[in-house]
Amino acid sequence: MKLVGVELRRIAMPLVAPFRTSFATLTTREILLVRVETEHHEGYGECVTMADPLYSSEYTAAAVDVLRSHLVPALAALPALDPWAVAPALAPFKGHRMAKAALETAVLDAWLRAHELSMGQWLGATAERVPAGVSVGIMDSVPALLDAVDGYLSEGYLRIKLKIEPGWDVEPVRAVRERFGDGVLLQVDANTAYTLGDAAQLARLDPYGLLLIEQPLDEEDIRGHAALAERVRTPICLDETIVSARSAADAIARGACSVVNIKPGRVGGYLEARRIHDVCAAHSVPVWCGGMLETGLGRAANVALAALPGFTLPGDTSASDRYYRTDITEPFVLKDGHLDVPRAPGLGLSPIPEKLAEVTESTEWINA
Ligand SMILES: CC(=O)N[C@@H](Cc1ccc2ccccc2c1)C(=O)O
Ligand SMILES: [Mg+2]
C-alpha cells in the first residue's frame, strides 16, 4: 500500500446527558477522525483525546498538530505502508499515543479492507458478541443516580460502573447495593481522584462486593497503588497508568493492580492493546475494554478487541445511544446485554456521509 494522503476531521457530538467524572463534566464530545487514503482504499481511526488535557496530557489540538507536523510526514516517507510499519516509523516521536493510535488504526482499517479481513478476524477474536457494561457519571443526588442505574439495568447492561470522587463514593455504592441487590456486577472508577491517605475511606467500599476499584490514585503512583492493594480488599484495576505492554508488566510485577482496563487509544493502538492482553493473560490478570465515548468507528474496533479470550469482564463498550442520540455510523444496539462483533472487512462499518456532515466542525487534507 502507498499513502496518498490523510484527512483530519474535527467533529462535535452532543451527549444525550451531561457526563460528570472526577476530572470534568462534559456535554459535548469533540472528536478527531483520521482518514487515511491509499491508492485503492481508505481507512478510519478515531483519536480519543479530549479537547482539554484533563484525562491525560494529550488533547485534540495537540494531536492535530503532531499528526500534521510529525506523524503523517513520517508515514509518507515510508517506501511501503502496512499496519506493522506504523509504530516503528512513529517511535522516534515521544508520547502522543492517542494521535499515533488513530493513525495506526486508520492504516489498519485500510489494510484490512484491502485484504478483506475483519478487525475481529485479524485480532484473533474468539467471540461473535461481547457483554456490555455501562459507565455512570457522578450525579446531583443519590435518587438521580438510582434512576439512571435503573434505566441501564432495564436496557440490559450486564455491569454497572459508578464514577466516584471524595465525597461521592461509599454512599452511592451502598444505595445501589440496597436498591438493586448483591447480584448486580458493580465497580467504581475514581480517575485518579484519591491519595494513599484515603486508604481507610476506600476500604469502606470493601463490604459491597465490588468487582474492582479503577485508578484510585495518580497515574504515576505505582508504589501507592501497591501499598493501597495491601490495605483494601477490593481488587485494584488500572486505566490511566497502563500506557504500554511494558507498563502493564511493571504494574503487575509490583502488585499495583490485579485487573487492567485496556484502551487502545491510550496505549498507542490495537497492536499494543493486543500485546497488553497477552501480557495480562500470561499473568492471569483479567482485562476489559475501556471506553472514551467513541463514535461507532472507535466502538467497532473496541468491540472486536473485547472479543479476544482474555477480555473476561464486561467492558465500557456500551450501545451508541448511551452517549449519542444519533451516531455517525449505523448504531451499536444492545441485544440481551451484548454487542455484536462487526463481521465486514476493516472496522466493519463506515461513516454515513450525511450524519458526518451534520457534526463536522472542520476538515484538513494532508498530502503524502
Ligand atoms: C466511559 C469512561 O468512563 N471512560 C473513561 C473516562 C472518560 C470519560 C469521559 C471522557 C470524555 C472525553 C474523553 C475521554 C473521557 C474519558 C474512564 O474509563 O476513565
Ligand atoms: Mg477509567
Side-chain angles (χ1 to χ4, degrees):
M1 276 190 336
K2 188 85 184 91
L3 187 65
V4 170
V6 175
E7 177 193 69
L8 305 181
R9 179 184 294 261
R10 297 189 68 166
I11 65 174
M13 304 272 285
L15 298 181
V16 291
F19 186 53
R20 183 177 156 195
T21 68
S22 63
F23 60 83
T25 299
L26 285 149
T27 55
T28 302
R29 181 78 171 91
E30 296 179 41
I31 290 170
L32 170 65
L33 296 179
V34 175
R35 183 176 63 83
V36 154
E37 217 171 281
T38 66
E39 317 95 300
H40 305 296
H41 295 86
E42 67 171 22
Y44 272 97
E46 180 166 346
C47 183
V48 298
T49 48
M50 287 181 69
D52 308 300
L54 298 172
Y55 166 80
S56 80
S57 60
E58 294 192 69
Y59 60 103
T60 305
V64 169
D65 184 73
V66 75
L67 280 158
R68 178 194 308 121
S69 308
H70 303 286
L71 305 184
V72 173
L75 284 202
L78 286 176
L81 186 62
D82 67 40
W84 297 271
V86 175
L90 305 183
F93 307 107
K94 302 293 186 187
H96 296 284
R97 290 181 175 88
M98 295 177 178
K100 292 175 175 177
L103 189 53
E104 181 185 86
T105 305
V107 171
L108 177 56
D109 184 26
W111 186 88
L112 288 170
R113 289 169 192 271
H115 293 79
E116 300 205 338
L117 277 172
S118 73
M119 185 77 147
Q121 282 172 311
W122 183 78
L123 282 170
T126 50
E128 306 210 326
R129 64 179 197 151
V130 298
V134 64
S135 179
V136 185
I138 294 167
M139 300 270 175
D140 295 337
S141 71
V142 168
L145 176 77
L146 294 177
D147 281 350
V149 172
D150 190 39
Y152 292 130
L153 291 172
S154 309
E155 288 181 53
Y157 282 102
L158 298 176
R159 182 269 279 145
I160 298 291
K161 159 169 144 176
L162 304 180
K163 290 293 184 183
I164 61 170
E165 64 182 13
W168 179 268
D169 46 34
V170 175
E171 191 194 355
V173 165
R174 181 196 301 124
V176 167
R177 274 289 179 240
E178 280 169 4
R179 167 80 174 272
F180 301 105
D182 294 336
V184 172
L185 294 183
L186 184 62
Q187 64 194 55
V188 296
D189 185 359
N191 289 108
T192 76
Y194 294 83
T195 68
L196 189 55
D198 298 313
Q201 178 64 12
L202 291 169
R204 290 182 55 213
L205 291 168
D206 283 342
Y208 298 103
L210 298 179
L211 285 170
L212 55 92
I213 301 178
E214 185 180 348
Q215 199 71 46
L217 311 181
D218 182 275
E219 64 269 23
E220 296 178 358
D221 195 359
I222 303 279
R223 188 196 62 79
H225 281 103
L228 182 66
E230 301 290 317
R231 298 177 54 185
V232 166
R233 269 209 330 275
T234 306
I236 304 291
C237 172
L238 293 177
D239 171 350
E240 288 89 335
T241 296
I242 309 299
V243 293
S244 64
R246 175 186 292 127
S247 75
D250 186 38
I252 292 165
R254 296 166 66 184
C257 67
S258 51
V259 187
V260 169
N261 164 340
I262 296 181
K263 288 179 182 174
R266 183 191 74 220
V267 304
Y270 288 83
L271 280 78
E272 190 68 10
R274 186 171 54 182
R275 290 184 197 109
I276 294 171
H277 161 272
D278 296 346
V279 164
C280 290
H283 289 81
S284 307
V285 166
V287 300
W288 54 280
C289 187
M292 297 289 275
L293 285 65
E294 290 93 345
T295 71
L297 292 170
R299 198 161 298 281
N302 287 349
V303 169
L305 178 75
L308 287 178
F311 285 80
T312 52
L313 290 168
D316 284 343
T317 42
S318 307
S320 295
D321 68 3
R322 159 55 187 103
Y323 297 110
Y324 305 118
R325 194 172 45 77
T326 57
D327 206 332
I328 58 170
T329 64
E330 281 306 309
F332 278 87
V333 177
L334 210 56
K335 273 183 275 181
D336 302 324
H338 289 71
L339 294 185
D340 290 338
V341 178
R343 304 159 67 92
L347 297 182
L349 40 68
S350 301
I352 298 165
E354 309 73 56
K355 302 274 186 193
L356 191 55
E358 270 168 40
V359 295
T360 293
E361 305 267 288
S362 66
T363 68
E364 172 183 344
W365 173 255
I366 305 169
N367 253 324

